[in-house]
Amino acid sequence: MPATISPNIRKYKLVIFDLDGTLLDSFPWFLSVVNDVAGMHGFRHVAPHEVEEMRGKGSRELVEFLEVPFWKIPAIARDMRRMKTERLKDIPLFAGVDRMLRQFSESGVVTAMVSSDSEDNVRAALGEATQHIAHFDCGASLFGKAAKYKAVLKRTGIPASDAISIGDEVRDAEAAQKAGIAFGAVSWGYATPAALAKTSPALTFASIEDICRLV
């Protein structure tokens, strides 16, 4: 997986962003609450030495690792969203996100946000940067992002070949593949670069500044 992207990279008409771990530095918050949620819902606790192993897994592998019954996932997601709402003011965007989104907006690139979080949480997390996102499709289930990507494509009228999804998890890559769009992997999020490399992303971004080169 390349560490940087070529200055001659192709330009996309639609860029679909993920929030957590891509634009929002929420992984430390996640680690601070995951064992509390495990106690509430009866799944496996995560020991400090297991964090990197956990980051190297895809979503299905992670569900198995944490011993989470699939039927519990919606309730777990609801509680995670509620807890996150209470702490949003303490969870920062990564440095340079506002400037990067503004650059896309001013350059005429259509931007969208597809997240598993609620739209209210997403807008609150982005703050003033919200104005630079043209389309929101939030509340995706754990494996439901592909449908959201397709909905954004239909709404914008932009062909899948002119769109790219940018995210930090294996499920983001899998969803992009199902939707027929390119995937750009960021190296600073929830999943390890090695785990993302196995998905064969079209692009890999080593920094927020790298993403700006799409403009």
Side-chain angles (χ1 to χ4, degrees), residues 192-207:
T192 62
L196 291 169
K198 294 177 183 178
T199 71
S200 301
L203 297 169
T204 298
F205 304 103
S207 66

Side-chain angles (χ1 to χ4, degrees), residues 23-204:
L23 303 184
L24 190 71
D25 189 8
S26 60
F27 191 62
W29 166 80
F30 171 80
L31 290 179
S32 76
V33 301
V34 65
N35 285 336
D36 291 337
V37 178
M40 292 166 56
H41 291 278
F43 63 85
R44 186 177 182 277
H45 283 61
V46 179
H49 71 273
E50 295 176 314
V51 171
E52 282 305 298
E53 178 185 357
M54 183 177 68
R55 292 183 64 224
K57 298 181 180 296
S59 293
R60 288 174 179 80
E61 295 173 319
L62 185 58
V63 168
E64 293 177 4
F65 176 75
L66 294 176
E67 300 172 5
V68 177
F70 274 89
W71 65 269
K72 286 189 176 184
I73 291 176
I76 293 170
R78 284 195 298 272
D79 281 339
M80 293 288 283
R81 288 172 189 151
R82 175 184 55 79
M83 296 169 76
K84 187 179 175 189
T85 299
E86 296 169 356
R87 291 277 303 278
L88 264 178
K89 61 181 176 55
D90 302 318
I91 306 174
L93 294 171
F94 288 106
V97 164
D98 185 271
R99 181 179 60 83
M100 180 266 292
L101 293 177
R102 184 172 64 251
Q103 185 173 338
F104 277 110
S105 179
E106 292 175 349
S107 299
V109 176
V110 178
T111 54
M113 169 62 65
V114 168
S115 173
S116 295
D117 206 346
S118 67
E119 185 169 338
D120 285 344
N121 270 2
V122 169
R123 288 179 177 273
L126 289 173
E128 293 184 359
T130 300
Q131 65 185 306
H132 305 306
I133 300 291
H135 301 277
F136 290 83
D137 209 327
C138 302
S141 64
L142 186 62
F143 302 110
K145 280 194 169 183
K148 299 287 189 181
Y149 292 158
K150 290 177 182 178
V152 172
L153 290 171
K154 184 176 181 179
R155 193 179 312 141
T156 61
I158 294 173
S161 58
D162 287 326
I164 186 171
S165 162
I166 298 178
D168 69 309
E169 294 186 66
V170 170
R171 68 187 177 111
D172 297 329
E174 294 171 342
Q177 183 178 23
K178 288 180 181 178
I181 64 177
F183 174 64
V186 305
S187 61
W188 55 83
Y190 281 51
T192 62
L196 291 169
K198 294 177 183 178
T199 71
S200 301
L203 297 169
T204 298

